[in-house]
Amino acid sequence: MSEERLAFVTRQVHAGKELGGHDPRVTPIYLTAGFVFDDFAEGADRFAGGEGYTYTRVGNPTATAVEDRITDLEGGLGTIFVGSGQAATTVALLALAKAGDEIAAAEAIYEGTRGLLVDNFSSFGIGARFVADVNDEAQWEAAITPRTKAVFIESIANPRNEIADIALIARVAHRHGVPLVVDNTFATPYLVRPFEHGADIVIHSTSKFFAGHGAVIGGAIVDGGTFDWAASGRFAHLTTPQRVRGGHGPGERSLLDLHGSNAYLVHARDDITMRLGPTPSPFSAFLVAQGLETLSLRVERQSANALRVAEFLATRPEVESVDYAGLPSNPYFPLAQRYLPLGQGSVFSFTLRGGEAVARTFYDSLELFTRMTHLGDVRSLILHPRTTSHTHRTAEQLEATGVGGGMLRVSIGIEDPADLIRDLERGFRAVAALPGADAEDAGAAPVGAASAASAAAGASAAPADAPTPAADRAFA
Ligand SMILES: Cc1ncc(COP(=O)(O)O)c(C=O)c1O
């Protein structure tokens, strides 16, 4: 800058200006809306896709640091860090499906994802078909149509701990030229890396185990980089030249020609994320990067603690069932041993005999567990799904998915498990003190019967133009 003395109002925004780093060991927070172009040519070059950053909605070095770390941990080709897990699902699927297309999804998924498909995607003209038994090949065969652009599952499902046979589902999806998208939030790449079993795209709510301390919301889309878009024949927006290109204008050549195996990520970042704008703060990226540094330690401890707590609950006569795949009695135990040998996760449900009234007393008497809708936190948390996350489901749907009045979902933290068990004992004492404590609640769905009903229901179609019943709305 030249030597003349600048005015106060000018100096207050320019004085002390210092760009450039000092090699800090921890990734700095680049809390900036945009990035300086050294000259005219550099601006044009960056907008043409050259090296360097332009604007934080498009990319930011703190976000890149967390993206690179997630890519490495999942074993993928690249990652886009976004503002929430919901944003990650939205971007991942909108980069695959357009109006007139369909998504085939497991019935047992996070309620917010289900709501996104049922309420929001249907209004964009994208339909959803749900599969009741995630590991039933015939049900997937029935749900995948010529319009299907993605198969969507959770590696460990919310809230009942169904473990997906990822390799089996990937085989069915690939037979039809459809990519498999896996929400790996509950498992994290420490417990399972879906790409190693044939998945094509992984998404995360980084609000949960990645951040780990309940202070930040974020999400990630990871591309495995191995799906054959050309051979599939279903993704013209990647394999043929497009009239509209978000970042870089109309193209003479297809994204696949221009970017090869990066085509999906380029489309997801430049045409979807940049346009819809679900941008995280660089501060959020920093917090997730910090959390990732202790991911394995926390997940290992939380899984071990969860097994101890689940074993304890399974011994209690007041408990009708424990949906934890780490218990040998659980139907998903063999799959959990195969896919999750280092630990079976730390979020699971259990059902108290006596229905909602008993669950309420138990829930309100706990002192160490935090009552909240969140998971993957260092602190143990508890939720009553039927009156919170699943409140807008119909009675039939609740019965089919096994979410009864007596069900409670826990997310086990890093505390001493003996303290957690003592807190749960407090809950059982409170229940024992209830007048007529052992009376059955007429409204409670018997869990075993519910599972059978759900498996028998098979794949159910929800075409894009079908009206959505208000009771089907899903909330986070
Ligand atoms: C499995 C799963 N996926 C996605 C989400 C959505 O994540 P977020 O709350 O970060 O938007 C959640 C939230 O609970 C979840 O449990």
Side-chain angles (χ1 to χ4, degrees), residues 1 79 138 223 280 397:
M1 211 175 273
T79 297
D223 182 6
Q397 288 172 343

Side-chain angles (χ1 to χ4, degrees), residues 84-86 110 113 154 158 183 185-186 205 207-208 217-218 375:
S84 68
Q86 281 297 95
Y110 168 59
T113 307
E154 292 177 1
N158 187 4
D183 181 337
T185 300
F186 271 40
S205 165
S207 325
K208 310 297 192 319
I217 300 292
L375 57 95

Side-chain angles (χ1 to χ4, degrees), residues 252-326:
E252 301 274 293
R253 299 165 67 201
S254 73
L255 280 171
L256 196 63
D257 288 341
L258 287 166
H259 301 286
S261 56
N262 263 313
Y264 169 81
L265 275 177
V266 170
H267 176 58
R269 190 188 292 277
D270 291 0
D271 304 337
I272 308 290
T273 314
M274 197 186 87
R275 283 283 165 87
L276 298 185
T279 314
S281 162
F283 187 53
S284 302
F286 172 81
L287 290 174
V288 173
Q290 289 273 295
L292 281 171
E293 293 179 358
T294 56
L295 180 72
S296 66
L297 303 175
R298 288 182 281 107
V299 170
E300 187 179 36
R301 171 67 67 89
Q302 288 175 256
S303 291
N305 283 359
L307 181 59
R308 287 273 301 277
V309 169
E311 282 167 347
F312 163 74
L313 289 168
T315 65
R316 297 295 303 211
E318 303 91 333
V319 174
E320 185 176 301
S321 62
V322 182
D323 291 317
Y324 184 59

